[in-house]
Amino acid sequence: MRATFPLAVTALAAALALTACSSDDPNTGTGSDAATGGKNGTSTAAADAGACALTGLNIEVGPANAAPAVGDTGNLPVTLTNTKAGACTLDGFPKVTLLSGSTSWTVTEEKSAQPSELTLHQDESATFTLTYVRGEEGGKGAADTLRFSLPGDSGDKTAKWTYGVIAEKGSGLDATVTPFQTAGD
């Protein structure tokens, strides 16, 4: 009985010490919310972070898994890395447009994908992926430029489209874009 008494007292003291440190104030950074900085898993930094702007991001387009033949599917990832000291957020889908001269096609959002808000701290990255079906040479989907913008940012970024003609689908192109995902997911 003597050996269990000190163990029970130690466990009780540890439990009381942890309870005493708990705080309902998300700004104190202590207690049960210390790991996230806020209540219910909400990061104080995320709550304070504004929308990511293209001017504060390093952008890498590709490398692509290009569709080699008509009817094949290709993927083009775009990686966004926060280069600023503060955090910023990405929420939803990027707006993606494919261009050929004065013709433009808006790329549709992947219907089965569920977007979630991501907070990017300095040097953290997120990606989105454009998936497309290769069309026949000489088809209407002969895009030469990819343009995208981010929710909450008025700027846009362009890149050369060198991955072949995109198949037509309805009045648009057979292409979709995913929501933002943490890089590596």
Side-chain angles (χ1 to χ4, degrees):
M1 181 128 178
R2 204 179 241 183
T4 59
F5 180 72
L7 183 59
V9 171
T10 303
L12 179 61
L16 290 173
L18 287 174
T19 304
C21 292
S22 181
S23 171
D24 287 336
D25 184 356
N27 296 316
T28 63
T30 62
S32 61
D33 298 324
T36 58
K39 291 179 76 173
N40 302 322
T42 303
S43 168
T44 304
D48 294 339
C52 292
L54 290 168
T55 57
L57 301 173
N58 181 45
I59 300 165
E60 181 181 347
V61 178
N65 174 21
V70 173
D72 289 343
T73 300
N75 297 297
L76 177 64
V78 177
T79 303
L80 312 167
T81 304
N82 184 8
T83 59
K84 299 278 184 170
C88 66
T89 60
L90 294 168
D91 193 9
F93 292 83
K95 181 180 178 186
V96 179
T97 306
L98 291 162
L99 307 161
S100 176
S102 62
T103 304
S104 66
W105 301 272
T106 300
V107 176
T108 59
E109 297 172 353
E110 177 60 48
K111 288 182 172 79
S112 65
Q114 295 297 318
S116 61
E117 182 177 288
L118 299 177
T119 299
L120 294 183
H121 298 277
Q122 185 175 12
D123 299 326
E124 291 181 336
S125 300
T127 63
F128 66 86
T129 303
L130 183 142
T131 301
Y132 69 100
V133 175
R134 181 82 179 252
E136 294 188 28
E137 290 301 318
K140 292 182 182 179
D144 57 19
T145 304
L146 166 73
R147 180 176 62 208
F148 65 90
S149 60
L150 307 178
D153 183 23
S154 60
D156 61 25
K157 174 76 173 168
T158 60
K160 285 190 165 278
W161 178 265
T162 60
Y163 311 104
V165 175
I166 302 166
E168 296 174 56
K169 184 175 183 180
S171 61
L173 298 180
D174 196 352
T176 59
V177 64
T178 66
F180 302 104
Q181 301 175 346
T182 302
D185 284 353

